[in-house]
Amino acid sequence: AYRHGAPVRIKDIGTAVAGVENNLQIGWVEKSRGISIGIWRQPDANVIETANLVKAQLPRLEAGLPPTVHVEVASDRTRTIRASVADVQFTLILSVCLVVFVVFVFLRSGWATSIPSVAVPLSLVATFGVMYLLDYSLDNLSLMALTISTGFVVDDAIVVTENVARLIEKGEPPLRAALDGAAQIGFTILSISVSLLAVFIPILLMGGVVGRLFREFAVTLSIAIAISGLISLTLTPMMCSRLLRSRHAGEGTGRGRLYRASERFFDGLLHAYDRGLRFVLDHEFTMLLVTAGTIALTVYLYIVIPKGLFPQQDTGQLMGFSDAPQDISFAAMRDRQEALNAVVMKDPAVHHFVSFIGGGPGGSGNTGTMFIELKPLAQRKVSADEIIARLRPKLERVPGIRLFLQSSQDIRIGGRFTRTQYQYTLQDADLNELNHWAPRMLQKLSKVPQLKDVASDQQTNGLQLDVTIDRDTAARLGLQPQVIDDTLYDAFGQRQVATLFTQLNQYRVVLEVKPDMQQDPAAIGRLYVRSPNGGAIPLSTFTKMAVSSTALSINHQGQFPSVTLSFNVAEGTALGEAVDAIHRAEREIGLPASVHADFQGTAQAFRDSLASEPLLILAALVTVYIVLGVLYESLVHPITILSTLPSAGVGALLALLAFKTEFSIIALIGIILLIGIVKKNAIMMIDFAIEAERGGLSTRDSIYQACLLRFRPILMTTMSALLGALPLMIGTGTGSELRHPLGISIVGGLIVSQMLTLYTTPVIYLYLDRFRLWLRS
């Protein structure tokens, strides 16, 4: 620009400052100012590989920056992923070792132990191959399926090995014993494997987000079980014919003495079971009442047990969203966010954190965001929830701002980011009615003891400056509204007026008034508008200004305005209890029917899963009944087999209550797996009882002989499944909270069902056989 032939420089009319394009955003990396870049992988990319590739590029990127600028990883989500996967791998190896130990304890022979033990690595390796062909990845869910499968895949091989060993001890040659034993037990193996695979059909057909999550889990476990059944009917008999020998030749050795001592112990167990079985068969009606009682107790425990969707995990990551008054200035917001940063930085469990304002939930200027990375669990000794509880009173002492913290979870349902973990949304076609009831609901929920950190995304208390143009005066002065609008935008709109190009970069020139004129609304009156004749006219000459309230943002869900209230659950409170408390609050304040209230995200998925859980269990039972009915060509025998399930349900639910664990989707999967595990006891008994009846024994004698004959393999397979799940139950590594309910439900269910079904199954078999004969007569 030139004035009277002389150039006009910027320093003559203003100040040129080298800065950021948008100075209403700011970020910190701990104490230092920083720019955060979030990197997400593509849906089909491996997250570990992606993180490694990004880290490999960081030195090259930093080399092209000025020496005062440093690039570092502030938060690495894959750190906890790696730790969690490593912990699951250790759990898998431990489960395999425990299963092999159980087999050795019962068989007391290295060669005999190697036969069923070989089925475990072969089944797992073959499962890896099928997973590769299906394009599955090794994640927490698939590794959890492989871990729990260690107790399943060895069952079939144990049953075959024990049956062949029993025939050899009776004097049959090893080859003949292998052929006869495999033929004798073949249908039992088929029944166990097929009925166990049938249990997963409802999981495979489960709809919604939860169904998609666990489909890979079900497929992986089904593959391992199917392969183990094939191995037990082919490789296991072959190895038995080559490796098993009669023990008579070694009775004088140390091994023989150890064998005889252990044999006396197992004979003592069998003798005790024999006495208990005789007593039960003499008091059949009492055991029938016990069975009926377990069914009633299962229903009662299911009703009263606290329910949730997924266990609360400690992933070593916290997310925080800060809220300040809606009329706060950027400078005040910056100071208050820095005060929050100082409180978080002093906590000894915090390793790293990133904080920024100007782009939080809703994109409002009164919100901030914080991502906190905690130290490894072994160093901090306290859980993420305990750290949140410890920080909460300290953060509340920071005046004029509030920070809502939540623990990041491996499984998060719903893409909406809210200040706390669970969402509850109000919708109404009438915006005024919604604005009236949403604050009342927020106030009510804030007093509910089951909830913590209740927050709202409603932003209706902002301030705006209304500039009213006196159009008659402006017209006399020759001013058009567009000129006035352009003047205001030049002053406060951060208008880009030019771009400077250099050899290496380009720089945008942004126009605005000086910062001291941005702090007071009265400064607008000191602006001048250029008139058509070149003069400068004060803006206050033809405008009036007034401050009024306005909404900073209006959220919508679908087509209707909405307000989302987010919350965390109080310590020791299940999500189901929190949901019930919210419904009570709705009724107490008289929320009108025109305001549609519903849960979103994880809370909505919980409500949907709660409605489908009984149907899912019923579908699993019906599926198993149909499969067993086809296999046995009977309507009665499947009922006998399924009669073992209530005791497993009682054990699982009692174990969850004892360990103060919610009945979650993971626990539900454990109970569905129990349906497949505990029925094998009844299958082994009934198969041999049917065969004995065909040999001429009475129904009572045949089931009695079958119970004694199958006592040892039932005990072996149950212990294998129990110890295979034990590492899931007691694990303490990263992400182990997700696996605890599965291990607890399986271990508790197996312990109770093992004690009861050994006695209730023969009684149910006798009663149903009499019922069958009565119907036939």
Side-chain angles (χ1 to χ4, degrees), residues 464-465 467 492 517-526 545 547:
Q464 70 177 7
L465 183 65
V467 180
F492 303 104
M517 291 190 65
Q518 301 178 14
Q519 306 302 319
D520 187 3
I524 293 181
R526 301 197 298 269
M545 288 170 286
V547 177

Side-chain angles (χ1 to χ4, degrees), residues 29 243 280 326 360 436 465 507 551 656 726:
V29 178
L243 300 180
V280 165
Q326 297 177 30
H436 170 73
L465 183 65
Y507 301 90
L656 292 171
L726 188 62

Side-chain angles (χ1 to χ4, degrees), residues 91-132:
T91 303
L92 175 61
I93 296 173
L94 180 59
S95 297
V96 173
C97 295
L98 290 175
V99 169
V100 173
F101 173 74
V102 169
V103 176
F104 179 77
V105 168
F106 277 89
L107 298 181
R108 288 99 64 198
S109 167
W111 288 115
T113 302
S114 66
I115 297 171
S117 301
V118 164
V120 178
L122 286 181
S123 299
L124 295 181
V125 170
T127 303
F128 287 142
V130 179
M131 290 175 62
Y132 178 79

Side-chain angles (χ1 to χ4, degrees), residues 376-586:
L377 187 60
Q379 299 180 20
R380 50 186 162 95
K381 303 297 183 183
V382 292
S383 68
D385 288 338
E386 291 174 322
I387 295 171
I388 293 175
R390 184 171 66 193
L391 284 171
R392 188 178 289 122
K394 299 177 183 178
L395 294 169
E396 289 176 350
R397 289 196 287 268
V398 178
I401 194 170
R402 188 177 180 187
L403 182 64
F404 299 92
L405 292 173
Q406 57 179 294
S407 178
S408 299
Q409 301 296 297
D410 283 338
I411 302 177
R412 179 184 175 92
I413 297 177
R416 177 181 300 173
F417 277 96
T418 52
R419 290 157 177 79
T420 40
Q421 190 167 358
Y422 303 105
Q423 298 94 44
Y424 171 75
T425 300
L426 305 175
Q427 286 181 276
D428 197 335
D430 186 347
L431 182 59
N432 294 327
E433 185 179 42
L434 180 66
N435 291 336
H436 170 73
W437 284 99
R440 294 189 61 185
M441 195 66 189
L442 173 65
Q443 184 180 13
K444 181 66 177 178
L445 295 184
S446 299
K447 299 177 181 178
V448 174
Q450 290 86 355
L451 308 181
K452 290 289 186 182
D453 305 326
V454 182
S456 172
D457 67 353
Q458 189 177 31
Q459 303 275 353
T460 58
N461 297 322
L463 296 179
Q464 70 177 7
L465 183 65
D466 298 318
V467 180
T468 305
I469 302 172
D470 185 344
R471 291 184 178 271
D472 293 336
T473 303
R476 288 196 304 271
L477 296 174
L479 299 177
Q480 298 294 327
Q482 183 64 46
V483 177
I484 302 170
D485 184 69
D486 289 342
T487 302
L488 292 172
Y489 188 37
D490 290 342
F492 303 104
Q494 296 192 350
R495 182 193 295 276
Q496 181 181 338
V497 296
T499 303
L500 303 180
F501 296 94
T502 66
Q503 292 179 344
L504 298 178
N505 208 341
Q506 61 184 31
Y507 301 90
R508 297 178 178 88
V509 180
V510 178
L511 179 65
E512 65 179 11
V513 297
K514 291 183 177 181
D516 58 349
M517 291 190 65
Q518 301 178 14
Q519 306 302 319
D520 187 3
I524 293 181
R526 301 197 298 269
L527 292 178
Y528 289 82
V529 179
R530 182 172 295 278
S531 65
N533 59 10
I537 303 173
L539 190 66
S540 59
T541 304
F542 51 88
T543 61
K544 295 180 180 180
M545 288 170 286
V547 177
S548 63
S549 62
T550 185
L552 297 183
S553 62
I554 299 177
N555 298 311
H556 287 74
Q557 183 159 304
Q559 297 179 341
F560 298 103
S562 66
V563 174
T564 297
L565 308 179
S566 57
F567 60 93
N568 291 328
V569 296
E571 186 177 358
T573 301
L575 180 56
E577 296 171 342
V579 169
D580 294 339
I582 292 174
H583 286 315
R584 285 196 301 270
E586 288 178 5

Side-chain angles (χ1 to χ4, degrees), residues 686-698 701-703 705-706:
I686 291 173
D687 281 351
F688 276 80
I690 293 174
E691 184 178 348
E693 282 189 60
R694 291 169 182 168
L697 288 179
S698 65
D701 291 340
S702 62
I703 191 64
Q705 294 294 334

